[in-house]
Amino acid sequence: LNPFTKLQEVAKTVAQVQASCGLEVDEDAFLEKLNPGMMEAVFAWCKGAKFIEVQKLTGAFEGTTIRTLRRLEELLRQITNAAKAFGDKELEAKFEEGSKMIKRDIVF
């Protein structure tokens, strides 16, 4: 199961839960919003690839790649704080680890 397929499955579950809670959601439109454009590059970055190697995977400008990685790290910090507020130490640790994997080298 590749990461994007797994993400689609989770997103489908989220859409179904939203619908079961009475929220109006178009499951197909919800899933179509997912864009795997930077997934491979971010995965490579987290595995320790050099920026130039990651950049070859994107087809985007360098600034776009850097901005994407920085915004993702910022999001991870925010959801780390949310997990901490809820008292979920395991989830907090996972998000912190993800943040550490992204926050390195030339990007930061």
Side-chain angles (χ1 to χ4, degrees), residues 16-25:
Q16 291 169 346
V17 169
Q18 287 177 331
S20 71
C21 291
L23 296 173
E24 192 173 312
V25 62

Side-chain angles (χ1 to χ4, degrees), residues 3-103:
F4 186 63
T5 303
K6 188 171 184 176
L7 176 64
Q8 287 176 312
E9 288 178 359
V10 171
K12 186 174 184 172
T13 301
V14 168
Q16 291 169 346
V17 169
Q18 287 177 331
S20 71
C21 291
L23 296 173
E24 192 173 312
V25 62
D26 179 347
E27 188 176 310
D28 292 331
F30 187 72
L31 292 174
E32 285 176 15
K33 290 180 183 178
L34 298 176
N35 181 347
M38 292 292 257
M39 286 183 75
E40 185 179 7
V42 170
F43 186 74
W45 180 256
C46 290
K47 292 295 182 183
K50 294 182 186 276
F51 185 76
I52 194 151
E53 296 166 355
V54 170
Q55 192 56 37
K56 290 177 184 175
L57 299 171
T58 68
F61 292 112
E62 291 87 351
T64 301
T65 304
I66 290 171
R67 185 175 60 248
T68 299
L69 290 167
R70 286 184 176 181
R71 290 184 71 197
L72 180 57
E73 193 278 329
E74 179 183 341
L75 174 63
L76 284 167
R77 278 188 283 123
Q78 290 173 357
I79 58 179
T80 297
N81 290 334
K84 187 176 188 175
F86 283 107
D88 191 331
K89 297 289 183 192
E90 183 181 348
L91 197 54
E92 180 184 353
K94 285 181 182 182
F95 291 141
E96 282 178 347
E97 180 63 26
S99 180
K100 287 177 188 174
M101 294 171 84
I102 289 175
K103 195 172 184 174

